[in-house]
Amino acid sequence: MKFPYPGKYTFVDVEIPNLNNNCICAISILVFDEGEQVVSATELINPQTFFSAPNIRIHHIQRKDVINARTLEQFWQDYKQYFEQPYIIGAHNAMSDISVLNKDLARFHTEIHATEYLDTMDVMEQFYYKGKQGKGDLKLSNIAEHLNIELDHHNPQSDVNCCCQIVCYMYDHFQMDITPFIHKIRKTKFKPSKHQDQPTARQLKSYLSYVHKQLHSNAPSTRLSASKAKAKGDQCYEEGNYEGVIFNYELAAFKHWMSPGMYLRLAQVYESLNLRYDSIRILEKGIQNIKRVSPNWKMLKSAQYDIYSQRAKQKRKGKRQLTSSGSIKNAPNKDAIVKPKATLNKKNIQKDTATNPSLQGQKTVEVTNGERTSSQKAIKSTKTTKSNKHHSQRTILRRKAQTQVAQKAKKVQKQESNTDSK
């Protein structure tokens, strides 16, 4: 492939493993120097972190696919010269790819040193559609369909080729001047972030909902026997692939696996990820599957009881800590609140009266009453809420009685009118 514009260009596309948007799991680059293609490289990257279900659904790259792949640091040693000046970085929605790359490179204390970029989304919006595009027209898949460019969307190599062909199309059909669409890269410093080894509870809940939809819709990935799914789950457990463990063990449980060990292991995984409801749920599922066949279901029942008891203990500890720190305020009690304040105020007042004899007699009553009003107000508020409830109930009953009386009166009037007419 030849590029119609002079200069040095690096077209790039990346894929992201999870919803944190701070690392990559695949990259593809296409480099041109004075119109000639110099480098074309596509690699899976080991992000050394977890994968989220929505991302897997988009690009179909899983953790097992990248375990033996190179890290971005190793890839960067071979290709970093194509991200230096005077190369211009080209991509579709270029700043998002550049920012993700810079976030990931911040872990290795480096960044993209190129200063200019070319955005094919900007080219389509400003030059082709001239600001009159419809909804979804700037998506890469829709652009490729509109311009008759072959595209396997979210395959990084295909996406990079598509970006390059969009620019070539604009030159071949419209002799587009590229200089107005080359912009300066906004420099932002990213702090090196530690990648999480395991997903958050919120991310796993979204993944679990995805798994359950797959199971109940009889998706192609669920067409495995219970024994094969269990074996795959064991392999994922050794690799530390949480998504693989959950998907395969849930599939085996869905197909009525009869061994209690798998249910106990999956419950432990859920417990370690703070998903207690799901740990109890999977143990209950195991009890239902195994109870008909063998007495081993009692192991799962005892494990379920242990989870319940641990949860109860933690609740008690939390309540004790809160009451000792004073963050929980009990309901106002006359004896508990008012009396200590009154005694403390008397001591303070005795000191004041010793220094100022003119304050004797009157001030003591006023201050103590003033101090008691805050607690008494709280007590009165509780009493007023109760009285309001009783009042509302009384009004409802009164209105019912009034309607019944009115209805009876109407009936009597009708009867009387009927008798008079006769």
Side-chain angles (χ1 to χ4, degrees), residues 1-20:
M1 185 189 293
K2 286 194 174 183
F3 194 69
Y5 294 98
K8 296 185 177 184
Y9 294 86
T10 301
F11 286 88
V12 64
D13 184 75
V14 297
E15 299 298 331
I16 301 163
N18 56 49
L19 301 172
N20 293 336

Side-chain angles (χ1 to χ4, degrees), residues 376-401:
Q376 284 172 352
K377 280 178 184 177
I379 295 159
K380 281 178 183 177
S381 64
T382 53
K383 286 181 180 179
T384 50
T385 51
K386 288 179 182 179
S387 64
N388 288 332
K389 284 180 184 178
H390 290 303
H391 181 68
S392 60
Q393 288 174 359
R394 284 172 191 167
T395 51
I396 290 162
L397 291 170
R398 195 183 300 141
R399 283 172 187 169
K400 281 183 179 179

Side-chain angles (χ1 to χ4, degrees), residues 305-368:
Y305 177 75
D306 289 341
I307 292 166
Y308 278 123
S309 60
Q310 283 175 7
R311 198 172 180 183
K313 281 179 184 177
Q314 285 180 357
K315 279 185 178 178
R316 285 175 205 153
K317 281 182 182 178
K319 282 183 180 179
R320 284 173 192 167
Q321 287 173 0
L322 287 168
T323 49
S324 62
S325 62
S327 58
I328 286 180
K329 292 183 180 178
N330 297 323
N333 185 5
K334 232 178 184 179
D335 298 328
I337 295 171
V338 178
K339 284 183 181 178
K341 287 187 178 178
T343 52
L344 284 168
N345 289 325
K346 281 177 185 177
K347 288 178 183 178
N348 293 330
I349 290 156
Q350 283 172 4
K351 289 178 184 178
D352 294 333
T353 50
T355 53
N356 297 320
S358 61
L359 296 173
Q360 288 179 359
Q362 296 177 354
K363 204 73 177 177
T364 54
V365 179
E366 290 174 6
V367 173
T368 50

Side-chain angles (χ1 to χ4, degrees), residues 94-346:
M95 280 310 299
S96 70
D97 287 346
I98 290 167
S99 64
V100 170
L101 267 171
N102 277 328
K103 283 177 189 176
D104 207 355
L105 289 168
R107 290 190 298 152
F108 316 117
H109 307 286
T110 186
E111 62 179 356
I112 293 170
H113 293 293
T115 58
E116 294 176 322
Y117 73 93
L118 169 68
D119 192 347
T120 52
M121 185 186 284
D122 188 33
V123 170
M124 291 300 294
E125 183 180 4
Q126 301 297 329
F127 182 79
Y128 189 79
Y129 288 112
K130 295 181 180 177
K132 296 178 181 179
Q133 70 278 1
K135 188 178 180 181
D137 284 343
L138 296 178
K139 286 184 178 179
L140 190 62
S141 55
N142 294 338
I143 292 167
E145 187 179 352
H146 185 70
L147 302 179
N148 294 320
I149 298 170
E150 287 186 8
L151 176 67
D152 178 16
H153 198 25
H154 294 294
N155 177 348
Q157 187 176 9
S158 180
D159 288 354
V160 160
N161 287 329
C162 183
C163 288
C164 184
Q165 285 177 29
I166 288 168
V167 180
C168 294
Y169 184 95
M170 296 303 149
Y171 180 80
D172 294 339
H173 290 79
F174 307 106
Q175 286 75 45
M176 180 187 74
D177 182 14
I178 202 171
T179 49
F181 303 102
I182 295 171
H183 306 289
K184 293 283 182 183
I185 294 173
R186 296 186 299 273
K187 291 291 180 182
T188 52
K189 289 185 178 180
F190 295 105
K191 292 180 181 178
S193 60
K194 290 183 180 179
H195 284 188
Q196 299 170 348
D197 294 329
Q198 60 188 37
T200 61
R202 187 177 178 181
Q203 289 166 341
L204 272 175
K205 280 177 184 175
S206 67
Y207 183 71
L208 268 171
S209 65
Y210 162 73
V211 169
H212 292 309
K213 281 178 186 175
Q214 292 282 306
L215 293 174
H216 292 288
S217 62
N218 195 19
S221 57
T222 61
R223 292 168 192 170
L224 289 174
S225 64
S227 58
K228 284 183 179 178
K230 200 262 179 187
K232 273 193 169 184
D234 292 339
Q235 188 179 354
C236 292
Y237 186 81
E238 290 172 3
E239 293 168 357
N241 181 3
Y242 292 97
E243 284 87 355
V245 171
I246 290 167
F247 183 85
N248 290 295
Y249 280 174
E250 286 282 354
L251 177 58
F254 186 75
K255 300 203 170 180
H256 306 288
W257 181 253
M258 295 299 176
S259 172
M262 185 201 75
Y263 296 100
L264 290 169
R265 179 176 279 182
L266 185 54
Q268 286 174 357
V269 169
Y270 284 143
E271 273 287 304
S272 66
L273 297 167
N274 294 322
L275 296 171
R276 284 184 180 168
Y277 169 79
D278 292 293
S279 63
I280 292 163
R281 176 188 57 79
I282 199 64
L283 289 170
E284 190 63 38
K285 180 76 175 172
I287 290 163
Q288 290 173 5
N289 289 341
I290 298 168
K291 201 170 187 179
R292 308 167 190 170
V293 182
S294 71
N296 291 334
W297 64 272
K298 292 178 182 178
M299 296 165 63
L300 303 181
K301 195 71 181 173
S302 63
Q304 204 176 37
Y305 177 75
D306 289 341
I307 292 166
Y308 278 123
S309 60
Q310 283 175 7
R311 198 172 180 183
K313 281 179 184 177
Q314 285 180 357
K315 279 185 178 178
R316 285 175 205 153
K317 281 182 182 178
K319 282 183 180 179
R320 284 173 192 167
Q321 287 173 0
L322 287 168
T323 49
S324 62
S325 62
S327 58
I328 286 180
K329 292 183 180 178
N330 297 323
N333 185 5
K334 232 178 184 179
D335 298 328
I337 295 171
V338 178
K339 284 183 181 178
K341 287 187 178 178
T343 52
L344 284 168
N345 289 325
K346 281 177 185 177

